[in-house]
Amino acid sequence: LVAAILGAYVLGFRFTTGVGYFVAFVLLSLLLTLAVSFGAEVIGNKAGRPEVASQLLLIPQVVLVVLSTGLVPVDAFPDWVHPFVQYQPISVIIGTLRGFTSGDVAIGNLFSSLAWCVGLLVLFGVMAVRLQGRES
């Protein structure tokens, strides 16, 4: 996260909204990272072999990152995929993170982002802990 923020800073990105928004940006980013890390742990644990796990981890990465509003606006996608792109977790969280940088955070979007992060964290966290318990 530090490397990404520093890289963005070099390219001209600036937080102009204050320390509170910056802290919220970092905390939400870390919460998503923890949830996704638990998800990767579950996939890796269930896959059994590193080669299989690395291939399986590409699927959610491609689907959730490429089909999100992180790279292009929702209107750039075909009409039939708009609902998925607009409401999938990465797009919702990206909208909130952008709001933290502009100072215009929609409360509904913030709560949706927190719900996605906490929900994924609980789901994947419980699964990861159970899978680790079975191996020991």
Side-chain angles (χ1 to χ4, degrees), residues 7-18:
Y9 187 82
V10 168
L11 295 173
F13 174 78
R14 301 289 184 268
F15 275 98
T16 58
T17 54

Side-chain angles (χ1 to χ4, degrees), residues 91-109:
S91 291
V92 172
I93 294 165
I94 286 171
T96 302
L97 293 174
R98 284 185 178 138
F100 289 147
T101 64
S102 68
D104 184 29
V105 180
I107 297 301
N109 204 28

Side-chain angles (χ1 to χ4, degrees), residues 37-43 45 121-134:
S37 296
F38 277 136
E41 169 67 20
V42 169
I43 290 172
N45 212 326
L121 183 62
V122 168
L123 173 70
F124 292 139
V126 167
M127 292 171 69
V129 168
R130 284 188 178 179
L131 287 171
Q132 286 296 328
R134 289 183 185 161

Side-chain angles (χ1 to χ4, degrees), residues 1 5 13 15 17 21-33 89-106 109-110 113 117:
L1 182 59
I5 291 173
F13 174 78
F15 275 98
T17 54
Y21 283 109
F22 177 76
V23 169
F25 181 96
V26 169
L27 290 176
L28 183 60
S29 298
L30 291 175
L31 187 62
L32 174 64
T33 301
I90 301 302
S91 291
V92 172
I93 294 165
I94 286 171
T96 302
L97 293 174
R98 284 185 178 138
F100 289 147
T101 64
S102 68
D104 184 29
V105 180
N109 204 28
L110 174 61
S113 297
C117 286

